[in-house]
Amino acid sequence: MFPKKPSQLFKASLLTLAVAASGAVSGAVSAKDIRLLNVSYDPTREFYQEFNPLFQRYWHERTGDDVDIRQSHGGAGKQARSVIDGLEADVVTLALAYDISAISEHTGKLPADWQSRLPNNSSPYNSTIVFLVRKGNPKAIHDWDDLIKPEVEVITPNPKTSGGARWNYLAAYGYALETHQGDEEKAREFVSAIYRQVPVLDSGARGATNSFVQRGLGDVLLAWENEAFLAVNELGPDQFEIVVPSVSILAEPPVTLVDKVADANDTRAVAEAYLAYLYSPQAQRLAAKHYYRPVLPALADPRDIARFPTLKTFTVDQLFGSWQQAQQVHFNDGGVFDQIYAP
Amino acid sequence: MAVTRSFSVLPGFNLTLGYTLLYLSILVLIPLSAVFIKASEFSMAEFWTVVTADRVVASYRLSFGSSLLAGLINMAFGLMLAWVLVRYSFPGKKLVDALIDLPFALPTAVAGIALTALYARNGWLGQIIEGYFGIRVAFAPLGVLIALVFIGLPFVVRTVQPVLQDLDAELEEAAASLGANRWQSFRYVVVPVLWPALLTGFALAFARAVGEYGSVIFIAGNIPRVSEITPLMIITKLEQYDYTGATAIAVVMLIFSFIMLLSINGLQAWSARRTGRAG
């Protein structure tokens, strides 16, 4: 049924407006409505899906206010660029500090020393880089040195386009540095040897997982531990298994407040509480459940913690100075990674 | 600029021209000029170093080369498809006709993943091609070509089809009765009429292929200097927050494509004049 005259149409739309307005007003009477936008990267989707309701309940109990939390997920670099280009994120929870520093550097929306604002380098959960191999480990891959055996094909995405791949690269490089007493030349040779075994450089981590799992390419996939667990769980423990190397990198996906946005939206208090709550027992437990290593393991379920083998880890700051330096030396145009492919 | 206004029975020339210019400005010219403005942050020398880096040049070769080739392949097979669809009737023709548009509707990433699954070493076709013939399709430049042929297919078919429908079979019969053999009537009667449409289809398929990212990126393998397409070089720059470098490469792509499209249009006008049809 269509209203026949323009005046009828007008009345109808007025009515709709009135209804909508009354709804909004009645909502505002009971409590303050707050909106929060968390801009994150791909593999945290499931974690934040469960974390957000926890925080909403917590915040409601504490203040009586309701928070509407919106999530945005995508490749970490793309997400950071969206924030730089004006996406109004109150908080960012990304895969590497470099991307958050880029936001700070390009927009000044958050201070340069953002990473010291929260405990553990502002990373409430960690991960590490492990190997995913086919069931039974037919190529006998146990540690980094096995990756450069001529018959082994390695699957890892392109570190120029994938943040996750930069962790893989730095893990391999760091391992070589540790075994060769800090000899940069030897470390370069080692990573060059690994990338010579890489048949396909996918543009993102999920693409690489796909190549390994669905396309049947390669013998070993370098992956974040949490992603490796997910792959094994979803695709069947009868097909793949995880191999933990003797030493690997401590992958720290950091979180922080975007000060200027939060201040403009008047959400600083709730956004800060949101981030702090990531360190709460509930959140730490949840992180462990989603295969992230919680920074406060005592708070998580011991059965979940038992799934993580202990291994020696190093951080980016310890071996490479900082993420900015690592990016500059290894991944920018003309850097060490480019030289691997130089003719 | 003097515009000669010939009398037209239809009113509203000024109005529609105004709207056209406004519309084109907002949708095309302003975003494109933003690219040029951003790239102008570079000095000429810096710009030149970025856009002629050998890895980038290798990517131009792959992107433009395979786009041209894909356009040509589509021109040949698109004509054949259109011919079959217009001139013959067979069961399931409607279905085939609808299938042609599928590459338009499919999200490019889906196309890329599907093609990769098919042509990878363990895929249906990949098993045969790589296993028996030793030719690598997926994760090699050949894979790029296949993806570009796939996404460009509808353009030639859809531009040629209506022209072919309007082309009376009687013309060919007349040619035959005047003593032309099949090849002659195809070459001198059919092709001249279809030529502008074929060129348009080719230009569209080519332009689409140059800018294609989603479907290619999955099948290319992205090995530096071997199977990196130019749009990937732009993404790579963006990942380093090198906005100016990214736009510099974009400018080169734009200029390249514009020149190519302009010359295709020129070719079209020239051939239209030659065959006695005013453009």
Side-chain angles (χ1 to χ4, degrees):
Chain A
M1 185 200 76
F2 293 99
K4 288 198 182 70
K5 288 182 207 158
S7 66
Q8 267 177 307
L9 193 69
F10 182 61
K11 272 181 206 158
S13 53
L14 261 189
L15 193 67
T16 324
L17 260 182
V19 172
S22 70
V25 169
S26 69
V29 173
S30 62
K32 210 158 60 166
D33 266 321
I34 315 164
R35 297 188 106 183
L36 208 59
L37 175 60
N38 176 4
V39 170
S40 194
Y41 65 112
D42 267 325
T44 57
R45 190 174 275 116
E46 292 79 13
F47 169 74
Y48 281 108
Q49 232 164 40
E50 281 195 54
F51 173 76
N52 290 343
L54 281 184
F55 177 74
Q56 281 164 330
R57 203 173 317 135
Y58 160 79
W59 191 248
H60 185 81
E61 277 163 16
R62 215 180 101 176
T63 63
D65 295 340
D66 285 320
V67 206
D68 174 19
I69 304 167
R70 288 168 303 150
Q71 281 291 142
S72 164
H73 293 277
K78 187 180 74 65
Q79 294 292 78
R81 282 198 303 283
S82 300
V83 176
I84 289 173
D85 294 339
L87 180 65
E88 293 212 319
D90 302 279
V91 295
V92 285
T93 54
L94 295 176
L96 55 167
Y98 171 67
D99 286 320
I100 298 182
S101 293
I103 299 174
S104 159
E105 200 180 304
H106 283 80
T107 65
K109 281 179 182 165
L110 51 112
D113 64 346
W114 62 271
Q115 206 170 4
S116 56
R117 295 195 291 191
L118 286 168
N120 300 82
N121 275 333
S122 292
S123 307
Y125 39 80
N126 295 325
S127 191
T128 188
I129 303 302
V130 297
F131 308 155
L132 192 66
V133 298
R134 302 196 187 278
K135 187 72 192 173
N137 199 356
K139 297 272 169 100
I141 294 159
H142 301 291
D143 208 346
W144 291 100
D145 283 322
D146 297 324
L147 300 185
I148 58 171
K149 287 196 282 196
E151 71 278 13
V152 172
E153 266 191 336
V154 183
I155 302 296
T156 178
N158 190 341
K160 307 270 292 189
T161 51
S162 157
R166 275 171 234 165
W167 289 109
N168 296 354
Y169 171 101
L170 292 178
Y173 198 93
Y175 162 80
L177 277 183
E178 300 253 297
T179 41
H180 297 293
Q181 290 78 43
D183 187 336
E184 297 270 349
E185 197 53 46
K186 289 255 170 64
R188 280 175 195 214
E189 271 169 34
F190 183 72
V191 289
S192 303
I194 288 188
Y195 279 91
R196 274 198 288 275
Q197 318 278 89
V198 178
V200 177
L201 284 171
D202 283 289
S203 58
R206 283 273 158 100
T209 310
N210 210 32
S211 289
F212 181 74
V213 170
Q214 311 284 356
R215 302 288 85 76
L217 278 174
D219 304 300
V220 52
L221 173 77
L222 305 189
W224 284 51
E225 185 177 48
N226 59 310
E227 289 281 278
F229 269 114
L230 274 184
V232 169
N233 270 8
E234 277 172 25
L235 306 152
D238 54 326
Q239 292 192 48
F240 302 102
E241 54 187 78
I242 295 173
V243 171
V244 180
S246 61
V247 57
S248 192
I249 200 161
L250 184 71
E252 298 177 297
V255 303
T256 201
L257 176 80
V258 186
D259 299 57
K260 292 242 167 97
V261 176
D263 287 340
N265 293 349
D266 200 16
T267 50
R268 181 182 271 271
V270 56
E272 275 175 348
Y274 181 80
L275 296 177
Y277 196 64
L278 285 168
Y279 293 85
S280 71
Q282 293 86 338
Q284 292 289 305
R285 224 182 142 81
L286 196 63
K289 184 183 153 200
H290 287 279
Y291 308 110
Y292 280 103
R293 295 182 178 223
V295 289
L296 306 167
L299 301 177
D301 188 334
R303 273 170 305 174
D304 286 342
I305 298 297
R307 298 186 297 200
F308 305 121
T310 45
L311 76 165
K312 215 177 128 207
T313 57
F314 52 84
T315 66
V316 170
D317 291 359
Q318 278 164 6
L319 288 192
F320 302 95
S322 69
W323 256 109
Q324 267 90 339
Q325 276 170 279
Q327 174 74 29
Q328 184 79 34
V329 172
H330 293 274
F331 307 121
N332 274 358
D333 280 347
V336 177
F337 179 74
D338 278 355
Q339 287 161 27
I340 295 177
Y341 287 95
Chain B
M1 193 176 68
V3 178
T4 45
R5 258 190 86 181
S6 58
F7 176 78
S8 165
V9 282
L10 293 174
F13 173 73
N14 283 329
L15 191 67
T16 47
L17 181 68
Y19 269 116
T20 306
L21 288 181
L22 180 71
Y23 191 77
L24 269 182
S25 302
I26 291 174
L27 274 167
V28 180
L29 294 177
I30 292 176
L32 288 191
S33 50
V35 171
F36 280 87
I37 290 166
K38 184 79 199 167
S40 67
E41 282 173 17
F42 271 149
S43 75
M44 212 48 218
E46 286 171 316
F47 179 85
W48 194 247
T49 331
V50 169
V51 302
T52 57
D54 55 350
R55 216 167 131 191
V56 180
V57 172
S59 81
Y60 298 143
R61 221 172 284 139
L62 178 67
S63 267
F64 285 94
S66 49
S67 297
L68 265 176
L69 206 55
L72 289 172
I73 293 173
N74 274 326
M75 200 155 128
F77 286 89
L79 173 61
M80 197 176 79
L81 269 168
W83 186 270
V84 168
L85 285 175
V86 171
R87 284 300 168 85
Y88 303 107
S89 69
F90 52 91
K93 182 173 153 178
K94 287 251 164 64
L95 201 70
V96 174
D97 204 12
L99 273 179
I100 305 270
D101 288 327
L102 219 53
F104 273 154
L106 215 57
T108 52
V110 176
I113 291 168
L115 287 172
T116 313
L118 205 56
Y119 287 102
R121 211 166 37 192
N122 65 348
W124 289 353
L125 288 173
Q127 259 171 7
I128 302 168
I129 301 173
E130 210 170 323
Y132 292 100
F133 301 103
I135 301 168
R136 195 158 194 210
V137 183
F139 315 121
L142 188 57
V144 175
L145 181 65
I146 287 180
L148 295 182
V149 169
F150 176 84
I151 51 126
L153 171 77
F155 291 100
V156 177
V157 181
R158 290 302 179 229
T159 47
V160 170
Q161 218 176 4
V163 185
L164 207 52
Q165 255 151 7
D166 289 344
L167 180 70
D168 276 333
E170 286 160 19
L171 272 178
E172 290 149 68
E173 285 162 16
S177 73
L178 289 170
N181 62 26
R182 284 186 171 185
W183 163 249
Q184 282 171 326
S185 58
F186 176 74
R187 169 67 189 80
Y188 297 105
V189 177
V190 177
V191 170
V193 181
L194 293 182
W195 191 237
L198 267 175
L199 272 179
T200 307
F202 169 74
L204 290 172
F206 166 76
R208 169 72 199 272
V210 166
E212 180 61 18
Y213 181 75
S215 64
V216 179
I217 213 64
F218 291 97
I219 202 169
N222 310 323
I223 302 295
R225 274 171 243 275
V226 177
S227 57
E228 280 185 325
I229 53 169
T230 312
L232 178 70
M233 301 312 299
I234 295 177
I235 302 284
T236 306
K237 297 270 180 211
L238 285 178
E239 283 294 326
Q240 296 165 41
Y241 302 97
D242 180 4
Y243 288 76
T244 324
T247 43
I249 299 178
V251 162
V252 172
M253 283 192 87
L254 271 175
I255 293 174
F256 251 17
S257 308
F258 192 65
I259 292 172
M260 304 270 319
L261 293 175
L262 214 60
S263 33
I264 293 171
N265 279 350
L267 193 64
Q268 223 170 19
W270 176 76
S271 67
R273 262 200 313 280
R274 214 181 48 135
T275 53
R277 265 176 296 275

